[in-house]
Each structure stands twice: as C-alpha cells, then as structure tokens.
C-alpha cells in the first residue's frame, strides 16, 4: 500500500483499464458495449470464412487425387547412404502374387548420438503414402546411424 493513500481511494488496475476503455468515444457509444466487441465478431467471421475455404480446397484436392485400384503387390524396402553419409530408405511395390495394396510408405529408424555424455536417441521417420507404382523416400539427418527400415502398406 502506498503511503498517503487511503484504502477507499486506491484504484485497482482492472478499474483503470475499464475506465480507459469505456471513456473512449467511438461508434459503439450508447450501445452499452465495450470497444473492441465488433472486432471480436470480425475475427470470428474471418476465421470461419477461412475454415470454409480451406475445407473446400481440401475436398477438391482429395477429389482430384487419382483412385488407385487395390491389386496384388509385393512391397519391399531398401536402404543406402547418400553422398553426405546420411541413411536413406525407399520402398517400391511390384505387381505379382502378394497382398492387396492401395498405398505404401517406407519407415526408417535412425540412431543419433547426442550430448556430452553421448546418449543415443532413436528417431522413427515415415515417408509419404504413395501408390504402388511410385517410390516412397525418407532420409535421416546428418550424424545418424541406420538402425532399421521397413515398408508399410494399407
């Protein structure tokens, strides 16, 4: 409590804020609302419109994607090192006697040595889901060691 200020004269910071907001004249004057209310509705309207546009764009992208027929495929994953010494992996699917596959992706596990005490962190990275006639690629970062790789199907 400040010296020379009686408790009944002390203003709270919320009281000061309300007083400043309500003392500013504007288009809201006389409507019984606080300044900024119309801004909140504007933000809600803008975010709602954005959500509708993104939703429409997303359905358009999904509709434009070619439908892959589920056939019998054999999928395999392969791993190697790139020019910078990073572990890379890819998966492919070939038609033949296998299981019904619509999409596949490659999965790679990399070990990375971190910290002054050199503890090992294992990272699992996933390639994109692609159709049977395409390659799914993924790469670990630098200073990583290959721990394992596989192909996932659905």
């Amino acid at each position: 409590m400040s010296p020379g200020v009686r408790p009944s004269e002390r203003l709270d910071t919320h009281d000061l804020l309300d007083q400043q907001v309500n003392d500013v004249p504007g288009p809201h004057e006389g409507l019984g609302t606080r300044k900024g209310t119309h801004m909140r509705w504007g933000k809600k309207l803008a975010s709602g419109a954005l959500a509708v546009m993104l939703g429409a764009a997303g359905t358009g992208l999904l509709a434009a994607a070619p439908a892959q027929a589920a056939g019998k495929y054999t999928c395999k994953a392969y791993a190697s090192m790139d020019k910078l010494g990073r572990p890379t992996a890819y998966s492919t699917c070939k038609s033949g006697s296998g299981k019904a596959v619509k999409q596949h992706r490659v999965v790679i596990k990399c070990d990375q040595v971190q910290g002054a005490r050199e503890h090992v962190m294992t990272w699992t990275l996933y390639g994109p889901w692609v159709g049977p006639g395409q390659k799914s690629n993924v790469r670990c970062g630098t200073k990583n060691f290959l721990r394992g790789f596989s192909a996932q199907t659905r």
Side-chain angles (χ1 to χ4, degrees):
M1 191 111 122
S2 301
V5 178
R6 286 183 247 158
S8 61
E9 294 176 0
R10 198 175 112 233
L11 290 176
D12 192 14
T13 54
H14 295 291
D15 295 333
L16 288 174
L17 182 62
D18 288 341
Q19 183 180 1
Q20 289 173 356
V21 170
N22 290 329
D23 287 346
V24 177
H28 65 283
E29 194 167 338
L31 298 176
T33 60
R34 300 178 84 184
K35 182 178 180 183
T37 303
H38 62 284
M39 287 299 290
R40 278 187 249 139
W41 282 107
K43 287 180 184 177
K44 288 181 183 179
L45 181 64
S47 62
L50 180 64
V52 168
M53 288 188 331
L54 290 176
T59 56
L61 290 174
L62 291 176
Q68 293 284 339
K72 299 282 184 174
Y73 293 95
T74 303
C75 299
K76 290 185 179 182
Y78 303 92
S80 63
M81 302 289 268
D82 69 358
K83 293 178 183 178
L84 298 176
R86 297 176 293 194
T88 62
Y90 68 93
S91 64
T92 59
C93 293
K94 294 183 181 179
S95 61
S97 60
K99 64 179 192 174
V101 173
K102 290 183 183 176
Q103 292 182 318
H104 68 95
R105 72 177 177 184
V106 65
V107 180
I108 191 169
K109 290 190 177 196
C110 304
D111 284 344
Q112 184 179 46
V113 180
Q114 293 182 344
R117 294 188 178 203
E118 297 186 354
H119 61 281
V120 176
M121 296 288 298
T122 300
W123 300 94
T124 302
L125 304 169
Y126 300 90
W129 287 105
V130 294
Q134 300 171 316
K135 273 188 182 181
S136 178
N137 294 304
V138 70
R139 176 183 307 145
C140 294
T142 57
K143 298 183 181 178
N144 280 261
F145 302 96
L146 180 65
R147 182 176 187 145
F149 59 96
S150 64
Q152 287 183 343
T153 60
R154 63 178 180 185

